[in-house]
Amino acid sequence: MVAENNEHKLIRDLIKGDAHSFDKIFAKYNAKVYAFSLRNLKNKEDAEGVVQDVFFNLWKDRAKLKEIKNLEAWIFSICFNIIRKHFRKLIREKNHLQKFTESFLSNDNSTATEVEYNDLLEKAEKIIEQLPGRQKTVFLLSRREGLSNDEISNKLNITKKTVENHLTKAKSFIKKSLVDEGLLTLLFFWLFIK
């Protein structure tokens, strides 16, 4: 009963815009939201993004908490909806990618398509050049030379985990840079870099 009263007080204070109450609610639920998201999305970065989105929405829509009886259920309904939107977005991207791949691999190898491809390749090369030294080396050994993580680990005398970390960071940087360029470059990422 005391815990319930404490939570009601936190909610009332949060509605008023009290950041300290928000911090307490975040501390109580963020690990659960992260675990739930990771279990469903199988990707740490995506799960971390969901946690940020959930608590951003909690703060933004805190006035709606007046009608909420169960804070945990409300937080997880926000979480569920964000994950659902994430999967819808992935399906849309997959459909766009499929259409792009079909047109790219069709017999219509026009000069325009070739120019677009070369332009995207040039953009990707410039982005890869911006990677920090070790990340760049690991990425190029993986993508250009086709070496496995174990082979890269042996060649550079670093752990396999370090190789995986470098690749994850490199791909994340490249993807973010290409996303800023628009949908076509994002499709290029999925086709030729991921």
Side-chain angles (χ1 to χ4, degrees), residues 54-103:
V54 165
F55 288 97
F56 172 77
N57 281 310
L58 175 67
W59 178 260
K60 180 174 64 94
D61 296 333
R62 62 189 182 277
K64 294 178 183 175
L65 289 171
K66 288 175 188 168
E67 302 128 36
I68 302 304
K69 301 263 190 291
N70 183 332
L71 180 61
E72 184 170 1
W74 195 64
I75 286 172
F76 276 92
S77 71
I78 295 172
C79 181
F80 179 76
N81 286 328
I82 290 168
I83 290 171
R84 198 167 57 181
K85 283 179 190 169
H86 176 83
F87 281 119
R88 280 195 196 126
K89 184 181 171 208
L90 285 179
I91 289 167
R92 280 197 307 272
E93 284 177 358
K94 188 178 175 187
N95 290 339
H96 286 305
L97 176 60
Q98 191 173 354
K99 287 176 188 168
F100 176 76
T101 307
E102 286 167 4
S103 70

Side-chain angles (χ1 to χ4, degrees), residues 160-175:
K160 185 178 175 185
K161 185 73 179 164
T162 302
V163 171
E164 290 166 358
N165 287 340
H166 281 313
L167 279 175
T168 300
K169 286 177 183 172
K171 287 192 284 185
S172 177
F173 176 78
I174 293 167
K175 181 182 177 186

Side-chain angles (χ1 to χ4, degrees), residues 6-22 25 59 62 65:
N6 285 344
E7 186 156 285
H8 285 313
K9 182 180 180 331
L10 281 176
I11 292 169
R12 282 196 307 273
D13 291 343
L14 177 62
I15 291 167
K16 294 173 191 168
D18 180 51
H20 186 63
S21 299
F22 176 82
I25 292 169
W59 178 260
R62 62 189 182 277
L65 289 171

Side-chain angles (χ1 to χ4, degrees), residues 92-153:
R92 280 197 307 272
E93 284 177 358
K94 188 178 175 187
N95 290 339
H96 286 305
L97 176 60
Q98 191 173 354
K99 287 176 188 168
F100 176 76
T101 307
E102 286 167 4
S103 70
F104 190 81
L105 298 176
S106 72
N107 293 332
D108 178 25
N109 289 325
S110 65
T111 306
T113 305
E114 199 173 317
V115 168
E116 283 175 347
Y117 171 77
N118 288 332
D119 182 49
L120 292 172
L121 193 58
E122 192 177 315
K123 282 179 186 170
E125 290 295 332
K126 284 179 183 169
I127 292 166
I128 291 166
E129 283 303 312
Q130 293 172 32
L131 290 170
R134 201 56 130 166
Q135 273 182 36
K136 181 176 158 188
T137 302
V138 168
F139 181 81
L140 292 175
L141 287 172
S142 173
R143 293 301 177 270
R144 296 254 170 85
E145 297 186 27
L147 298 183
S148 70
N149 290 356
D150 286 323
E151 289 169 329
I152 296 169
S153 169

